[in-house]
Amino acid sequence: MHELPLVFFTVLGQSAAGLFLLAYIAKKMGSIDDNQLKTANIIGFIIVMIGLGIGALHVGQPLRFFNMLLGVGRSPMSNEAFLSGVFVGCAAATLFFTHFVKQAALRELSNIAAVISGLAFVWSIPQVYNIATIANWDTQFTTLQMWTTLFVGGGALAMAIGARGLGLTSFLVGTFAIFASRASYQAFLGETAPALSAEQTGFWGFQVIVLAIALAAFVGFAIKQRSPKVPLLTCAAAVLLAELSGRIAFYNLWQITM
């Protein structure tokens, strides 16, 4: 399994960005209250910090992270590092003005900035991997799976904190996009790296099975109009594991094209 730190960094970062986005929209729609938004922001911050902390292991020495910032504007990797820092900073500011220096206007501005910077961060990630020399990554499917994690992971987490309708909609969009594109994605990989692609069957199979089970559970909860917190949290955790599994398969596809 290649690049495990980046697996956690990307999946957790994208899911946190999705949670910040969906929770903020849900609050504006009146679907959740202020306390639920605060909870969502805390959870989102913790998740992205875990991802950033694990991702830092990729650079070997944490101080090298700052060296990566020297190429901002011209290097996709530098842009990704910079935007991840901006996202974390805005998320931290949101919590600061919510719980410590209670300033409603500054909290609102920080929350909006966290949502926007989170989306920018997610946008920057596939730019790093659309590399012509790695045919398995240089495809629209790379971009698609980075965004579907935002919808799937963010949607599952949003449901867990109380944004049931919006969270379910987001999860459905992301899950159906994954299911609908999987055959085409594997057909593409069957041409570029058939043997390497076949080795990822277990990871992709786990992802699809868990997402299907979570989908059935979420829809069942919605139909019965039940909101059991523990099962929702369990499903959200399972969804993140499923996305981690799918991302492991993605990084295992690293292969320089000659």
Side-chain angles (χ1 to χ4, degrees):
M1 293 184 288
H2 300 299
E3 309 296 358
L4 271 179
L6 294 180
V7 169
F8 284 90
F9 172 67
T10 56
V11 169
L12 296 184
Q14 290 157 355
S15 298
L19 178 57
F20 266 92
L21 170 67
L22 296 172
Y24 184 79
I25 294 175
K27 176 62 171 62
K28 292 303 178 183
M29 293 172 58
S31 302
I32 61 174
D33 59 30
D34 198 52
N35 286 331
Q36 289 171 310
L37 177 61
K38 291 177 182 178
T39 299
N41 288 341
I42 291 172
I43 293 174
F45 179 73
I46 291 172
I47 289 174
V48 72
M49 285 302 297
I50 292 173
L52 188 63
I54 297 175
L57 299 175
H58 175 69
V59 297
Q61 298 177 4
L63 291 178
R64 289 181 180 174
F65 173 82
F66 297 101
N67 292 334
M68 294 171 61
L69 300 178
L70 298 177
V72 171
R74 52 186 174 80
S75 166
M77 187 173 294
S78 294
N79 293 339
E80 177 195 43
F82 172 72
L83 289 171
S84 70
V86 173
F87 177 36
V88 169
C90 292
T94 302
L95 298 187
F96 180 75
F97 291 120
T98 299
H99 300 282
F100 300 100
V101 179
K102 298 181 179 180
Q103 295 285 341
L106 292 176
R107 182 187 74 171
E108 180 72 7
L109 289 174
S110 298
N111 206 159
I112 293 173
V115 170
I116 295 173
S117 59
L119 291 173
F121 167 55
V122 174
W123 167 84
S124 73
I125 294 174
Q127 314 306 315
V128 177
Y129 301 104
N130 288 324
I131 306 171
T133 54
I134 304 179
N136 299 334
W137 288 356
D138 190 24
T139 169
Q140 60 186 356
F141 294 111
T142 294
T143 301
L144 178 64
Q145 66 182 290
M146 299 300 174
W147 282 103
T148 53
T149 297
L150 178 144
F151 286 99
V152 170
L157 291 168
M159 290 189 68
I161 62 93
R164 309 286 192 250
L166 191 60
L168 178 59
T169 300
S170 175
F171 182 80
L172 289 173
V173 169
T175 301
F176 284 135
I178 291 172
F179 291 168
S181 63
R182 183 51 52 89
S184 298
Y185 183 34
Q186 293 194 271
F188 165 78
L189 293 173
E191 296 179 358
T192 59
L196 200 57
S197 174
E199 293 174 2
Q200 314 313 316
T201 301
F203 292 113
W204 282 322
F206 177 81
Q207 179 192 25
V208 169
I209 290 172
V210 172
L211 289 180
I213 293 172
L215 175 62
F218 286 147
V219 171
F221 294 148
I223 292 174
K224 295 181 179 180
Q225 296 184 336
R226 295 174 56 199
S227 304
K229 290 186 178 180
V230 173
L232 283 173
L233 287 170
T234 302
C235 285
V239 167
L240 293 183
L241 286 176
E243 288 301 287
L244 289 170
S245 180
R247 195 58 49 83
I248 288 172
F250 169 78
Y251 281 105
N252 283 347
L253 293 171
W254 184 89
Q255 178 179 265
I256 296 178
T257 306
M258 301 301 292

